[in-house]
Amino acid sequence: DTNVGDDDGASMTAHIASVDPGTGSVVAVAPGVGLREFRFEHALRSGTSQGVVFESAARQLITDFLNGYNATILVYGQTG
């Protein structure tokens, strides 16, 4: 869940309603906003191990970087 402040200082709680790794679809919901679907090249379920995240998101980029190519990994989100 993510707390988001609105214009009058009150906060509302947004959360992920569903994740479909097969299609890369992520459905989020927030009070006053409703359901919103987002599509990504890859989506991982909550609780996915660090090893699986590394293998699916970083290993190839790091290998390419070590072979002289440019690579960027940008991450954003809550921890713990």
Side-chain angles (χ1 to χ4, degrees):
D1 290 352
T2 302
N3 289 325
V4 179
D6 60 17
D7 291 337
D8 65 2
S11 84
M12 59 183 171
T13 300
H15 69 276
I16 302 301
S18 68
V19 176
D20 183 347
T23 64
S25 172
V26 176
V27 177
V29 62
V33 178
L35 293 173
R36 294 287 189 260
E37 181 180 14
F38 300 91
R39 293 211 177 249
F40 300 93
E41 290 180 22
H42 304 281
L44 302 171
R45 292 188 191 282
S46 176
T48 300
S49 73
Q50 291 282 326
V52 170
V53 172
F54 174 77
E55 291 296 331
S56 65
R59 180 180 288 281
Q60 187 60 51
L61 285 173
I62 291 171
T63 300
D64 291 345
F65 174 77
L66 293 172
N67 285 311
Y69 293 94
N70 292 327
T72 300
I73 299 174
L74 177 67
V75 297
Y76 176 82
Q78 293 179 220
T79 61

Short mmCIF file of all heavy atoms in Angstrom, two decimals:
data_model
loop_
_atom_site.label_atom_id
_atom_site.label_comp_id
_atom_site.label_asym_id
_atom_site.label_seq_id
_atom_site.Cartn_x
_atom_site.Cartn_y
_atom_site.Cartn_z
N ASP A 1 0.83 -1.19 0.00
CA ASP A 1 0.00 0.00 0.00
C ASP A 1 0.87 1.24 0.00
O ASP A 1 1.92 1.27 0.59
CB ASP A 1 -0.89 0.03 1.22
CG ASP A 1 -1.98 -1.04 1.16
OD1 ASP A 1 -2.11 -1.68 0.12
OD2 ASP A 1 -2.68 -1.21 2.16
N THR A 2 0.38 2.30 -0.63
CA THR A 2 1.11 3.55 -0.70
C THR A 2 0.18 4.67 -0.26
O THR A 2 -0.92 4.79 -0.77
CB THR A 2 1.59 3.83 -2.14
OG1 THR A 2 2.40 2.75 -2.56
CG2 THR A 2 2.37 5.11 -2.21
N ASN A 3 0.60 5.47 0.72
CA ASN A 3 -0.19 6.62 1.13
C ASN A 3 0.13 7.78 0.23
O ASN A 3 1.28 8.13 0.03
CB ASN A 3 0.10 6.99 2.59
CG ASN A 3 -0.46 5.97 3.54
OD1 ASN A 3 -1.52 5.41 3.29
ND2 ASN A 3 0.23 5.73 4.63
N VAL A 4 -0.91 8.40 -0.30
CA VAL A 4 -0.75 9.51 -1.22
C VAL A 4 -1.52 10.69 -0.65
O VAL A 4 -2.72 10.58 -0.37
CB VAL A 4 -1.31 9.15 -2.62
CG1 VAL A 4 -1.16 10.31 -3.57
CG2 VAL A 4 -0.63 7.90 -3.15
N GLY A 5 -0.87 11.84 -0.47
CA GLY A 5 -1.56 13.03 0.01
C GLY A 5 -2.32 13.70 -1.12
O GLY A 5 -1.85 13.77 -2.24
N ASP A 6 -3.52 14.19 -0.82
CA ASP A 6 -4.25 14.94 -1.84
C ASP A 6 -4.12 16.43 -1.56
O ASP A 6 -3.43 16.85 -0.66
CB ASP A 6 -5.70 14.47 -1.96
CG ASP A 6 -6.50 14.63 -0.67
OD1 ASP A 6 -6.04 15.39 0.20
OD2 ASP A 6 -7.56 14.01 -0.56
N ASP A 7 -4.82 17.25 -2.34
CA ASP A 7 -4.66 18.70 -2.27
C ASP A 7 -5.02 19.31 -0.91
O ASP A 7 -4.45 20.30 -0.50
CB ASP A 7 -5.50 19.39 -3.35
CG ASP A 7 -4.95 19.11 -4.74
OD1 ASP A 7 -3.75 18.78 -4.85
OD2 ASP A 7 -5.72 19.21 -5.72
N ASP A 8 -5.96 18.73 -0.17
CA ASP A 8 -6.35 19.32 1.11
C ASP A 8 -5.58 18.73 2.29
O ASP A 8 -5.94 18.94 3.44
CB ASP A 8 -7.85 19.22 1.34
CG ASP A 8 -8.34 17.78 1.46
OD1 ASP A 8 -7.51 16.85 1.41
OD2 ASP A 8 -9.56 17.59 1.62
N GLY A 9 -4.52 17.97 2.03
CA GLY A 9 -3.67 17.45 3.08
C GLY A 9 -4.10 16.09 3.60
O GLY A 9 -3.38 15.47 4.36
N ALA A 10 -5.30 15.64 3.27
CA ALA A 10 -5.73 14.31 3.71
C ALA A 10 -4.97 13.27 2.91
O ALA A 10 -4.41 13.55 1.86
CB ALA A 10 -7.24 14.16 3.46
N SER A 11 -4.92 12.05 3.43
CA SER A 11 -4.23 11.03 2.67
C SER A 11 -5.19 9.90 2.35
O SER A 11 -6.18 9.69 3.04
CB SER A 11 -2.99 10.53 3.40
OG SER A 11 -3.31 9.55 4.32
N MET A 12 -4.90 9.20 1.29
CA MET A 12 -5.68 8.05 0.90
C MET A 12 -4.70 6.91 0.65
O MET A 12 -3.52 7.13 0.45
CB MET A 12 -6.49 8.35 -0.35
CG MET A 12 -5.69 8.75 -1.54
SD MET A 12 -6.79 9.14 -2.89
CE MET A 12 -5.64 9.82 -4.05
N THR A 13 -5.18 5.70 0.70
CA THR A 13 -4.31 4.55 0.53
C THR A 13 -4.54 3.95 -0.85
O THR A 13 -5.66 3.59 -1.20
CB THR A 13 -4.58 3.50 1.61
OG1 THR A 13 -4.34 4.09 2.88
CG2 THR A 13 -3.67 2.30 1.45
N ALA A 14 -3.47 3.85 -1.62
CA ALA A 14 -3.51 3.19 -2.93
C ALA A 14 -2.85 1.84 -2.78
O ALA A 14 -1.94 1.68 -1.98
CB ALA A 14 -2.78 4.02 -3.97
N HIS A 15 -3.32 0.85 -3.54
CA HIS A 15 -2.67 -0.45 -3.48
C HIS A 15 -2.78 -1.17 -4.81
O HIS A 15 -3.57 -0.80 -5.68
CB HIS A 15 -3.23 -1.31 -2.34
CG HIS A 15 -4.63 -1.78 -2.57
ND1 HIS A 15 -5.72 -1.01 -2.27
CD2 HIS A 15 -5.11 -2.93 -3.08
CE1 HIS A 15 -6.82 -1.67 -2.58
NE2 HIS A 15 -6.48 -2.84 -3.08
N ILE A 16 -1.98 -2.20 -4.95
CA ILE A 16 -1.98 -3.03 -6.15
C ILE A 16 -3.06 -4.08 -5.97
O ILE A 16 -3.03 -4.86 -5.02
CB ILE A 16 -0.60 -3.68 -6.39
CG1 ILE A 16 0.48 -2.62 -6.50
CG2 ILE A 16 -0.64 -4.59 -7.61
CD1 ILE A 16 0.28 -1.62 -7.62
N ALA A 17 -4.01 -4.13 -6.89
CA ALA A 17 -5.10 -5.09 -6.82
C ALA A 17 -4.70 -6.43 -7.41
O ALA A 17 -5.09 -7.48 -6.91
CB ALA A 17 -6.34 -4.54 -7.54
N SER A 18 -3.92 -6.41 -8.51
CA SER A 18 -3.49 -7.67 -9.13
C SER A 18 -2.26 -7.46 -9.98
O SER A 18 -2.00 -6.37 -10.47
CB SER A 18 -4.61 -8.27 -9.98
OG SER A 18 -4.87 -7.47 -11.11
N VAL A 19 -1.49 -8.54 -10.15
CA VAL A 19 -0.31 -8.56 -11.00
C VAL A 19 -0.39 -9.83 -11.83
O VAL A 19 -0.60 -10.92 -11.30
CB VAL A 19 0.99 -8.56 -10.18
CG1 VAL A 19 2.21 -8.69 -11.10
CG2 VAL A 19 1.09 -7.31 -9.33
N ASP A 20 -0.25 -9.71 -13.15
CA ASP A 20 -0.23 -10.87 -14.04
C ASP A 20 1.13 -10.91 -14.73
O ASP A 20 1.34 -10.21 -15.72
CB ASP A 20 -1.36 -10.80 -15.06
CG ASP A 20 -1.42 -12.01 -15.96
OD1 ASP A 20 -0.47 -12.83 -15.98
OD2 ASP A 20 -2.44 -12.16 -16.66
N PRO A 21 2.08 -11.71 -14.22
CA PRO A 21 3.41 -11.77 -14.83
C PRO A 21 3.37 -12.24 -16.28
O PRO A 21 4.23 -11.87 -17.07
CB PRO A 21 4.17 -12.78 -13.96
CG PRO A 21 3.46 -12.77 -12.66
CD PRO A 21 2.01 -12.54 -13.00
N GLY A 22 2.39 -13.03 -16.65
CA GLY A 22 2.31 -13.53 -18.02
C GLY A 22 2.07 -12.45 -19.06
O GLY A 22 2.59 -12.50 -20.16
N THR A 23 1.28 -11.44 -18.69
CA THR A 23 0.97 -10.35 -19.62
C THR A 23 1.67 -9.05 -19.27
O THR A 23 1.64 -8.10 -20.05
CB THR A 23 -0.54 -10.09 -19.67
OG1 THR A 23 -0.98 -9.63 -18.38
CG2 THR A 23 -1.32 -11.32 -20.08
N GLY A 24 2.25 -8.96 -18.07
CA GLY A 24 2.87 -7.71 -17.61
C GLY A 24 1.85 -6.70 -17.13
O GLY A 24 2.13 -5.53 -16.98
N SER A 25 0.63 -7.15 -16.86
CA SER A 25 -0.45 -6.27 -16.43
C SER A 25 -0.43 -6.10 -14.92
O SER A 25 -0.33 -7.06 -14.17
CB SER A 25 -1.80 -6.87 -16.85
OG SER A 25 -2.86 -6.13 -16.30
N VAL A 26 -0.53 -4.83 -14.49
CA VAL A 26 -0.62 -4.50 -13.07
C VAL A 26 -1.84 -3.60 -12.91
O VAL A 26 -1.98 -2.59 -13.59
CB VAL A 26 0.64 -3.75 -12.57
CG1 VAL A 26 0.48 -3.33 -11.12
CG2 VAL A 26 1.87 -4.63 -12.75
N VAL A 27 -2.77 -4.00 -12.02
CA VAL A 27 -3.97 -3.21 -11.76
C VAL A 27 -3.82 -2.58 -10.38
O VAL A 27 -3.60 -3.27 -9.38
CB VAL A 27 -5.24 -4.08 -11.83
CG1 VAL A 27 -6.47 -3.25 -11.48
CG2 VAL A 27 -5.39 -4.69 -13.21
N ALA A 28 -3.92 -1.25 -10.33
CA ALA A 28 -3.84 -0.51 -9.08
C ALA A 28 -5.19 0.13 -8.81
O ALA A 28 -5.97 0.40 -9.72
CB ALA A 28 -2.76 0.58 -9.19
N VAL A 29 -5.46 0.38 -7.52
CA VAL A 29 -6.72 1.02 -7.13
C VAL A 29 -6.44 2.05 -6.05
O VAL A 29 -5.59 1.85 -5.19
CB VAL A 29 -7.76 -0.02 -6.64
CG1 VAL A 29 -7.27 -0.74 -5.41
CG2 VAL A 29 -9.12 0.60 -6.42
N ALA A 30 -7.13 3.18 -6.14
CA ALA A 30 -7.02 4.22 -5.13
C ALA A 30 -8.40 4.83 -4.91
O ALA A 30 -9.15 5.02 -5.86
CB ALA A 30 -6.05 5.31 -5.58
N PRO A 31 -8.75 5.11 -3.64
CA PRO A 31 -10.03 5.75 -3.36
C PRO A 31 -10.17 7.06 -4.13
O PRO A 31 -9.24 7.85 -4.21
CB PRO A 31 -9.99 6.00 -1.85
CG PRO A 31 -9.00 5.02 -1.33
CD PRO A 31 -7.98 4.86 -2.43
N GLY A 32 -11.31 7.25 -4.73
CA GLY A 32 -11.56 8.48 -5.49
C GLY A 32 -11.00 8.45 -6.90
O GLY A 32 -11.26 9.34 -7.70
N VAL A 33 -10.21 7.42 -7.21
CA VAL A 33 -9.61 7.30 -8.53
C VAL A 33 -10.15 6.05 -9.23
O VAL A 33 -10.47 6.07 -10.40
CB VAL A 33 -8.07 7.25 -8.45
CG1 VAL A 33 -7.46 7.07 -9.83
CG2 VAL A 33 -7.53 8.50 -7.79
N GLY A 34 -10.22 4.95 -8.49
CA GLY A 34 -10.71 3.69 -9.05
C GLY A 34 -9.59 2.82 -9.56
O GLY A 34 -8.43 3.02 -9.22
N LEU A 35 -9.96 1.86 -10.38
CA LEU A 35 -8.99 0.92 -10.94
C LEU A 35 -8.25 1.54 -12.12
O LEU A 35 -8.85 2.21 -12.95
CB LEU A 35 -9.69 -0.35 -11.42
CG LEU A 35 -10.32 -1.23 -10.34
CD1 LEU A 35 -11.11 -2.35 -11.00
CD2 LEU A 35 -9.26 -1.79 -9.42
N ARG A 36 -6.96 1.26 -12.19
CA ARG A 36 -6.13 1.69 -13.33
C ARG A 36 -5.25 0.52 -13.71
O ARG A 36 -4.59 -0.07 -12.85
CB ARG A 36 -5.24 2.88 -12.98
CG ARG A 36 -5.98 4.14 -12.68
CD ARG A 36 -6.56 4.74 -13.98
NE ARG A 36 -7.10 6.05 -13.75
CZ ARG A 36 -8.39 6.31 -13.60
NH1 ARG A 36 -9.26 5.34 -13.63
NH2 ARG A 36 -8.80 7.53 -13.40
N GLU A 37 -5.22 0.18 -14.99
CA GLU A 37 -4.35 -0.90 -15.45
C GLU A 37 -3.11 -0.30 -16.09
O GLU A 37 -3.18 0.65 -16.87
CB GLU A 37 -5.07 -1.78 -16.47
CG GLU A 37 -4.19 -2.92 -16.95
CD GLU A 37 -4.88 -3.83 -17.96
OE1 GLU A 37 -5.93 -3.44 -18.50
OE2 GLU A 37 -4.34 -4.91 -18.21
N PHE A 38 -1.97 -0.88 -15.75
CA PHE A 38 -0.69 -0.49 -16.33
C PHE A 38 -0.09 -1.74 -16.96
O PHE A 38 -0.21 -2.84 -16.44
CB PHE A 38 0.25 0.06 -15.25
CG PHE A 38 -0.30 1.27 -14.55
CD1 PHE A 38 -1.06 1.11 -13.40
CD2 PHE A 38 -0.07 2.52 -15.04
CE1 PHE A 38 -1.59 2.21 -12.75
CE2 PHE A 38 -0.59 3.64 -14.40
CZ PHE A 38 -1.35 3.48 -13.25
N ARG A 39 0.59 -1.58 -18.09
CA ARG A 39 1.23 -2.72 -18.76
C ARG A 39 2.73 -2.47 -18.84
O ARG A 39 3.18 -1.38 -19.17
CB ARG A 39 0.66 -2.92 -20.14
CG ARG A 39 -0.78 -3.35 -20.09
CD ARG A 39 -1.12 -4.23 -21.28
NE ARG A 39 -2.49 -4.68 -21.15
CZ ARG A 39 -2.81 -5.93 -20.90
NH1 ARG A 39 -1.88 -6.84 -20.77
NH2 ARG A 39 -4.06 -6.28 -20.79
N PHE A 40 3.49 -3.51 -18.53
CA PHE A 40 4.94 -3.45 -18.53
C PHE A 40 5.48 -4.61 -19.35
O PHE A 40 4.78 -5.59 -19.59
CB PHE A 40 5.47 -3.56 -17.09
CG PHE A 40 4.98 -2.45 -16.19
CD1 PHE A 40 3.84 -2.62 -15.42
CD2 PHE A 40 5.66 -1.25 -16.12
CE1 PHE A 40 3.38 -1.60 -14.59
CE2 PHE A 40 5.22 -0.23 -15.30
CZ PHE A 40 4.07 -0.41 -14.53
N GLU A 41 6.74 -4.50 -19.76
CA GLU A 41 7.38 -5.63 -20.45
C GLU A 41 7.45 -6.83 -19.53
O GLU A 41 7.31 -7.97 -19.96
CB GLU A 41 8.78 -5.24 -20.92
CG GLU A 41 8.76 -4.25 -22.06
CD GLU A 41 10.16 -3.89 -22.52
OE1 GLU A 41 11.11 -4.66 -22.26
OE2 GLU A 41 10.30 -2.81 -23.11
N HIS A 42 7.71 -6.59 -18.24
CA HIS A 42 7.81 -7.65 -17.24
C HIS A 42 7.17 -7.16 -15.95
O HIS A 42 7.26 -5.98 -15.62
CB HIS A 42 9.27 -8.01 -16.93
CG HIS A 42 10.05 -8.42 -18.14
ND1 HIS A 42 9.95 -9.67 -18.69
CD2 HIS A 42 10.92 -7.74 -18.90
CE1 HIS A 42 10.73 -9.74 -19.75
NE2 HIS A 42 11.34 -8.58 -19.89
N ALA A 43 6.54 -8.05 -15.24
CA ALA A 43 5.99 -7.74 -13.91
C ALA A 43 6.23 -8.95 -13.02
O ALA A 43 6.04 -10.09 -13.45
CB ALA A 43 4.50 -7.42 -14.00
N LEU A 44 6.66 -8.69 -11.80
CA LEU A 44 6.92 -9.76 -10.84
C LEU A 44 5.96 -9.63 -9.67
O LEU A 44 5.66 -8.52 -9.23
CB LEU A 44 8.37 -9.69 -10.34
CG LEU A 44 9.44 -9.77 -11.43
CD1 LEU A 44 10.81 -9.47 -10.84
CD2 LEU A 44 9.42 -11.13 -12.09
N ARG A 45 5.50 -10.75 -9.18
CA ARG A 45 4.59 -10.75 -8.03
C ARG A 45 5.31 -10.34 -6.75
O ARG A 45 6.51 -10.53 -6.61
CB ARG A 45 4.00 -12.14 -7.84
CG ARG A 45 3.08 -12.58 -8.94
CD ARG A 45 2.39 -13.88 -8.56
NE ARG A 45 1.70 -14.46 -9.69
CZ ARG A 45 0.52 -14.05 -10.15
NH1 ARG A 45 -0.07 -13.04 -9.59
NH2 ARG A 45 -0.04 -14.65 -11.18
N SER A 46 4.54 -9.81 -5.81
CA SER A 46 5.06 -9.50 -4.49
C SER A 46 5.60 -10.79 -3.88
O SER A 46 5.02 -11.85 -4.04
CB SER A 46 3.94 -8.94 -3.62
OG SER A 46 4.39 -8.71 -2.31
N GLY A 47 6.71 -10.69 -3.19
CA GLY A 47 7.30 -11.87 -2.58
C GLY A 47 8.27 -12.61 -3.48
O GLY A 47 8.82 -13.63 -3.08
N THR A 48 8.49 -12.12 -4.70
CA THR A 48 9.46 -12.74 -5.60
C THR A 48 10.85 -12.63 -4.97
O THR A 48 11.21 -11.58 -4.43
CB THR A 48 9.44 -12.05 -6.97
OG1 THR A 48 8.13 -12.16 -7.53
CG2 THR A 48 10.44 -12.66 -7.93
N SER A 49 11.63 -13.69 -5.05
CA SER A 49 12.95 -13.69 -4.41
C SER A 49 13.92 -12.73 -5.10
O SER A 49 13.76 -12.42 -6.29
CB SER A 49 13.55 -15.10 -4.43
OG SER A 49 13.96 -15.44 -5.74
N GLN A 50 14.92 -12.28 -4.35
CA GLN A 50 15.96 -11.40 -4.91
C GLN A 50 16.65 -12.07 -6.09
O GLN A 50 16.99 -11.42 -7.07
CB GLN A 50 16.99 -11.06 -3.83
CG GLN A 50 16.45 -10.17 -2.74
CD GLN A 50 16.39 -8.72 -3.19
OE1 GLN A 50 17.22 -8.25 -3.94
NE2 GLN A 50 15.40 -8.01 -2.69
N GLY A 51 16.87 -13.37 -6.00
CA GLY A 51 17.53 -14.10 -7.08
C GLY A 51 16.75 -14.05 -8.38
O GLY A 51 17.31 -13.83 -9.46
N VAL A 52 15.44 -14.24 -8.29
CA VAL A 52 14.59 -14.19 -9.48
C VAL A 52 14.57 -12.77 -10.05
O VAL A 52 14.63 -12.57 -11.27
CB VAL A 52 13.17 -14.70 -9.17
CG1 VAL A 52 12.22 -14.44 -10.32
CG2 VAL A 52 13.20 -16.19 -8.85
N VAL A 53 14.49 -11.77 -9.18
CA VAL A 53 14.51 -10.37 -9.64
C VAL A 53 15.81 -10.09 -10.38
O VAL A 53 15.81 -9.53 -11.48
CB VAL A 53 14.32 -9.38 -8.46
CG1 VAL A 53 14.54 -7.94 -8.92
CG2 VAL A 53 12.94 -9.54 -7.84
N PHE A 54 16.93 -10.49 -9.81
CA PHE A 54 18.23 -10.27 -10.44
C PHE A 54 18.30 -10.97 -11.80
O PHE A 54 18.69 -10.36 -12.80
CB PHE A 54 19.36 -10.78 -9.55
CG PHE A 54 20.71 -10.73 -10.21
CD1 PHE A 54 21.38 -9.52 -10.32
CD2 PHE A 54 21.29 -11.87 -10.73
CE1 PHE A 54 22.62 -9.45 -10.95
CE2 PHE A 54 22.53 -11.81 -11.36
CZ PHE A 54 23.19 -10.60 -11.46
N GLU A 55 17.90 -12.24 -11.85
CA GLU A 55 17.98 -12.99 -13.10
C GLU A 55 17.10 -12.39 -14.19
O GLU A 55 17.50 -12.32 -15.36
CB GLU A 55 17.59 -14.46 -12.89
CG GLU A 55 18.58 -15.25 -12.08
CD GLU A 55 19.95 -15.39 -12.74
OE1 GLU A 55 20.04 -15.38 -13.98
OE2 GLU A 55 20.93 -15.50 -11.99
N SER A 56 15.91 -11.93 -13.83
CA SER A 56 14.99 -11.43 -14.85
C SER A 56 15.23 -9.97 -15.22
O SER A 56 14.89 -9.55 -16.32
CB SER A 56 13.54 -11.62 -14.39
OG SER A 56 13.27 -10.82 -13.26
N ALA A 57 15.84 -9.19 -14.33
CA ALA A 57 15.95 -7.76 -14.59
C ALA A 57 17.37 -7.24 -14.78
O ALA A 57 17.56 -6.19 -15.39
CB ALA A 57 15.30 -6.98 -13.44
N ALA A 58 18.37 -7.94 -14.27
CA ALA A 58 19.70 -7.32 -14.24
C ALA A 58 20.82 -8.13 -14.86
O ALA A 58 21.76 -7.54 -15.39
CB ALA A 58 20.07 -7.00 -12.79
N ARG A 59 20.76 -9.44 -14.80
CA ARG A 59 21.92 -10.24 -15.22
C ARG A 59 22.40 -9.89 -16.64
O ARG A 59 23.59 -9.66 -16.85
CB ARG A 59 21.65 -11.73 -15.15
CG ARG A 59 22.90 -12.53 -15.60
CD ARG A 59 22.71 -14.03 -15.55
NE ARG A 59 22.67 -14.55 -14.21
CZ ARG A 59 23.74 -14.77 -13.45
NH1 ARG A 59 24.93 -14.46 -13.89
NH2 ARG A 59 23.62 -15.28 -12.25
N GLN A 60 21.50 -9.84 -17.60
CA GLN A 60 21.92 -9.56 -18.98
C GLN A 60 22.52 -8.17 -19.12
O GLN A 60 23.52 -7.98 -19.81
CB GLN A 60 20.77 -9.75 -19.96
CG GLN A 60 21.20 -9.65 -21.43
CD GLN A 60 22.24 -10.71 -21.81
OE1 GLN A 60 22.05 -11.89 -21.56
NE2 GLN A 60 23.34 -10.27 -22.39
N LEU A 61 21.92 -7.17 -18.44
CA LEU A 61 22.46 -5.81 -18.51
C LEU A 61 23.87 -5.74 -17.91
O LEU A 61 24.75 -5.07 -18.45
CB LEU A 61 21.55 -4.84 -17.77
CG LEU A 61 20.26 -4.47 -18.48
CD1 LEU A 61 19.37 -3.64 -17.57
CD2 LEU A 61 20.55 -3.72 -19.77
N ILE A 62 24.08 -6.42 -16.79
CA ILE A 62 25.41 -6.41 -16.16
C ILE A 62 26.42 -7.11 -17.06
O ILE A 62 27.55 -6.62 -17.23
CB ILE A 62 25.33 -7.05 -14.77
CG1 ILE A 62 24.53 -6.12 -13.84
CG2 ILE A 62 26.73 -7.32 -14.21
CD1 ILE A 62 24.20 -6.72 -12.51
N THR A 63 26.04 -8.22 -17.67
CA THR A 63 26.94 -8.91 -18.59
C THR A 63 27.30 -8.01 -19.76
O THR A 63 28.47 -7.89 -20.14
CB THR A 63 26.28 -10.21 -19.10
OG1 THR A 63 26.01 -11.05 -17.98
CG2 THR A 63 27.17 -10.93 -20.09
N ASP A 64 26.29 -7.34 -20.34
CA ASP A 64 26.55 -6.42 -21.45
C ASP A 64 27.47 -5.28 -21.02
O ASP A 64 28.39 -4.90 -21.74
CB ASP A 64 25.24 -5.86 -22.01
CG ASP A 64 24.41 -6.91 -22.71
OD1 ASP A 64 24.93 -8.00 -23.03
OD2 ASP A 64 23.20 -6.64 -22.94
N PHE A 65 27.23 -4.72 -19.82
CA PHE A 65 28.07 -3.65 -19.30
C PHE A 65 29.52 -4.09 -19.17
O PHE A 65 30.45 -3.37 -19.57
CB PHE A 65 27.53 -3.18 -17.94
CG PHE A 65 28.41 -2.18 -17.26
CD1 PHE A 65 28.43 -0.85 -17.68
CD2 PHE A 65 29.23 -2.55 -16.21
CE1 PHE A 65 29.24 0.08 -17.06
CE2 PHE A 65 30.04 -1.63 -15.58
CZ PHE A 65 30.06 -0.31 -16.00
N LEU A 66 29.74 -5.28 -18.64
CA LEU A 66 31.10 -5.79 -18.48
C LEU A 66 31.77 -6.06 -19.82
O LEU A 66 33.00 -6.13 -19.90
CB LEU A 66 31.09 -7.06 -17.62
CG LEU A 66 30.70 -6.83 -16.15
CD1 LEU A 66 30.53 -8.15 -15.43
CD2 LEU A 66 31.71 -5.94 -15.45
N ASN A 67 30.98 -6.16 -20.88
CA ASN A 67 31.51 -6.35 -22.22
C ASN A 67 31.60 -5.05 -23.01
O ASN A 67 31.78 -5.07 -24.22
CB ASN A 67 30.67 -7.38 -22.98
CG ASN A 67 30.96 -8.78 -22.52
OD1 ASN A 67 32.11 -9.19 -22.41
ND2 ASN A 67 29.92 -9.54 -22.22
N GLY A 68 31.45 -3.90 -22.31
CA GLY A 68 31.69 -2.61 -22.94
C GLY A 68 30.47 -1.85 -23.41
O GLY A 68 30.61 -0.79 -24.01
N TYR A 69 29.28 -2.34 -23.16
CA TYR A 69 28.07 -1.63 -23.57
C TYR A 69 27.57 -0.76 -22.42
O TYR A 69 27.83 -1.03 -21.25
CB TYR A 69 26.96 -2.62 -23.96
CG TYR A 69 27.28 -3.39 -25.21
CD1 TYR A 69 27.88 -4.65 -25.13
CD2 TYR A 69 26.99 -2.87 -26.46
CE1 TYR A 69 28.17 -5.37 -26.27
CE2 TYR A 69 27.28 -3.59 -27.61
CZ TYR A 69 27.88 -4.83 -27.51
OH TYR A 69 28.17 -5.53 -28.64
N ASN A 70 26.83 0.30 -22.76
CA ASN A 70 26.20 1.12 -21.74
C ASN A 70 25.00 0.38 -21.17
O ASN A 70 24.29 -0.32 -21.89
CB ASN A 70 25.72 2.45 -22.33
CG ASN A 70 26.87 3.33 -22.73
OD1 ASN A 70 27.92 3.32 -22.10
ND2 ASN A 70 26.68 4.10 -23.79
N ALA A 71 24.74 0.55 -19.89
CA ALA A 71 23.59 -0.08 -19.24
C ALA A 71 23.12 0.80 -18.10
O ALA A 71 23.91 1.45 -17.44
CB ALA A 71 23.96 -1.46 -18.72
N THR A 72 21.81 0.83 -17.90
CA THR A 72 21.22 1.57 -16.79
C THR A 72 20.16 0.71 -16.13
O THR A 72 19.33 0.11 -16.81
CB THR A 72 20.56 2.88 -17.29
OG1 THR A 72 21.54 3.69 -17.92
CG2 THR A 72 19.92 3.64 -16.14
N ILE A 73 20.20 0.64 -14.82
CA ILE A 73 19.15 -0.01 -14.05
C ILE A 73 18.59 1.05 -13.11
O ILE A 73 19.29 1.55 -12.25
CB ILE A 73 19.69 -1.21 -13.25
CG1 ILE A 73 20.27 -2.26 -14.20
CG2 ILE A 73 18.59 -1.80 -12.38
CD1 ILE A 73 20.96 -3.41 -13.50
N LEU A 74 17.35 1.42 -13.32
CA LEU A 74 16.68 2.43 -12.51
C LEU A 74 15.64 1.72 -11.67
O LEU A 74 14.78 1.02 -12.21
CB LEU A 74 16.02 3.48 -13.40
CG LEU A 74 15.22 4.56 -12.69
CD1 LEU A 74 16.15 5.45 -11.88
CD2 LEU A 74 14.44 5.37 -13.71
N VAL A 75 15.71 1.87 -10.36
CA VAL A 75 14.75 1.21 -9.48
C VAL A 75 14.07 2.26 -8.61
O VAL A 75 14.65 3.30 -8.29
CB VAL A 75 15.40 0.13 -8.60
CG1 VAL A 75 15.95 -0.98 -9.47
CG2 VAL A 75 16.52 0.71 -7.75
N TYR A 76 12.84 1.97 -8.25
CA TYR A 76 12.08 2.89 -7.41
C TYR A 76 11.08 2.07 -6.61
O TYR A 76 10.48 1.14 -7.13
CB TYR A 76 11.33 3.91 -8.27
CG TYR A 76 10.45 4.83 -7.47
CD1 TYR A 76 10.97 5.93 -6.84
CD2 TYR A 76 9.09 4.55 -7.35
CE1 TYR A 76 10.17 6.75 -6.09
CE2 TYR A 76 8.27 5.39 -6.60
CZ TYR A 76 8.83 6.48 -5.97
OH TYR A 76 8.04 7.30 -5.23
N GLY A 77 10.92 2.40 -5.36
CA GLY A 77 9.90 1.72 -4.58
C GLY A 77 10.26 1.65 -3.13
O GLY A 77 11.33 2.06 -2.70
N GLN A 78 9.33 1.10 -2.37
CA GLN A 78 9.51 0.93 -0.94
C GLN A 78 10.40 -0.24 -0.65
O GLN A 78 10.48 -1.17 -1.43
CB GLN A 78 8.16 0.70 -0.28
CG GLN A 78 7.25 1.87 -0.32
CD GLN A 78 5.92 1.56 0.34
OE1 GLN A 78 4.93 1.98 -0.16
NE2 GLN A 78 5.90 0.80 1.42
N THR A 79 11.06 -0.19 0.48
CA THR A 79 11.81 -1.34 0.97
C THR A 79 11.31 -1.71 2.35
O THR A 79 10.73 -0.88 3.03
CB THR A 79 13.33 -1.04 1.04
OG1 THR A 79 13.54 0.04 1.93
CG2 THR A 79 13.90 -0.72 -0.33
N GLY A 80 11.55 -2.95 2.72
CA GLY A 80 11.20 -3.39 4.06
C GLY A 80 9.75 -3.40 4.28
O GLY A 80 9.08 -3.24 5.16
#
